[in-house]
Amino acid sequence: MLAGCGAGTCQVIVTTPMEMLKIQLQDAGRIAAQRKTLSGQAQLSGRGGAQPPVEPPAAPRPTATQLTRDLLRSRGIAGLYKGLGATLLRDVPFSIVYFPLFANLNQLGQPASGEKSPFYVSFLAGCVAGSAAAVAVNPCDVVKTRLQTLQRGVNEDTYSGFLDCARKILRNEGPTAFLKGAYCRALVIAPLFGIAQVVYFLGIAETLLGLPRVQP
């Protein structure tokens, strides 16, 4: 569990900026569509509905490079690490849950003491442990995503921090909002960690690098 905690902490340093950029790119289409709808409604109101509204030119979609430059220019390095606390609260508990759970599940499939589990046992153990850990920390993932969304739509809440965001989600959307996306997240995490554990336990990296294989 301590090893998982350390791994999760190190991982956050690298992955938080990528999470920030991913969320902005995924959210850009939603904001653009909302602005387009509001623009059309405003034109209809101004014309009394007599003429069809003129389509506004589509805004260019931002790229990851452009977003990085804008964030660095406006917010500095800290802008790429917005929501760092929420990311820590998601990834550190994830690793604490995942690694011990995987180790115990994988041990159940060992044919005899001291022998390595078959690769399919490692795959299934990685899938089960990864999906269980993903669902367990999904509330923190929901809060993290809300905090890292920089552009707000009309009538959307703004948040001052992790606790403020969690309180507003609970008050306005109810407790089930913290499980939004849990099913899809589990579907992504399960094969990801299943494949990762198979690659590790088969010793593929050691074979490619010509290193001696150490039995787990």
Side-chain angles (χ1 to χ4, degrees):
M1 291 177 74
L2 289 174
C5 177
T9 303
C10 294
Q11 169 192 320
V12 164
I13 298 171
V14 178
T15 58
T16 298
M18 292 184 283
E19 286 273 349
M20 271 290 295
L21 296 174
K22 180 201 73 171
I23 289 171
Q24 309 322 309
L25 290 170
Q26 288 178 334
D27 199 50
R30 180 183 67 88
I31 297 296
Q34 189 178 76
R35 287 174 178 169
K36 182 178 178 181
T37 300
L38 292 173
S39 175
Q41 291 175 348
Q43 289 187 18
L44 280 174
S45 299
R47 298 167 182 263
Q51 298 179 4
V54 179
E55 286 282 339
R61 292 293 180 91
T63 64
T65 304
Q66 178 187 344
L67 284 171
T68 303
R69 284 199 301 262
D70 291 344
L71 281 170
L72 288 173
R73 190 182 305 115
S74 60
R75 301 168 183 251
I77 292 293
L80 292 174
Y81 284 90
K82 181 178 173 63
L84 176 63
T87 308
L88 279 168
L89 288 173
R90 181 196 68 173
D91 288 353
V92 172
F94 177 94
S95 297
I96 291 174
V97 172
Y98 172 77
F99 285 106
L101 182 56
F102 167 79
N104 282 279
L105 291 174
N106 190 63
Q107 191 174 24
L108 293 176
Q110 289 181 343
S113 178
E115 292 187 19
K116 185 174 65 173
S117 299
F119 77 93
Y120 60 86
V121 172
S122 296
F123 175 77
L124 291 174
C127 289
V128 173
S131 57
V135 173
V137 301
N138 199 75
C140 292
D141 186 60
V142 171
V143 174
K144 179 197 76 70
T145 301
R146 301 289 180 93
L147 289 173
Q148 290 183 325
T149 302
L150 298 178
Q151 297 189 45
R152 304 289 175 188
V154 178
N155 298 324
E156 288 186 348
D157 287 325
T158 56
Y159 311 108
S160 60
F162 185 91
L163 292 177
D164 178 61
C165 180
R167 278 195 299 265
K168 287 180 177 177
I169 292 174
L170 182 62
R171 182 178 67 242
N172 298 331
E173 303 175 49
T176 56
F178 291 108
L179 292 177
K180 284 182 177 179
Y183 177 70
C184 292
R185 182 166 163 76
L187 286 178
V188 171
I189 294 294
L192 170 65
F193 279 85
I195 293 169
Q197 291 298 347
V198 168
V199 170
Y200 175 75
F201 274 83
L202 289 179
I204 293 175
E206 288 91 337
T207 301
L208 292 175
L209 295 174
L211 299 174
R213 176 73 175 115
V214 178
Q215 292 293 333

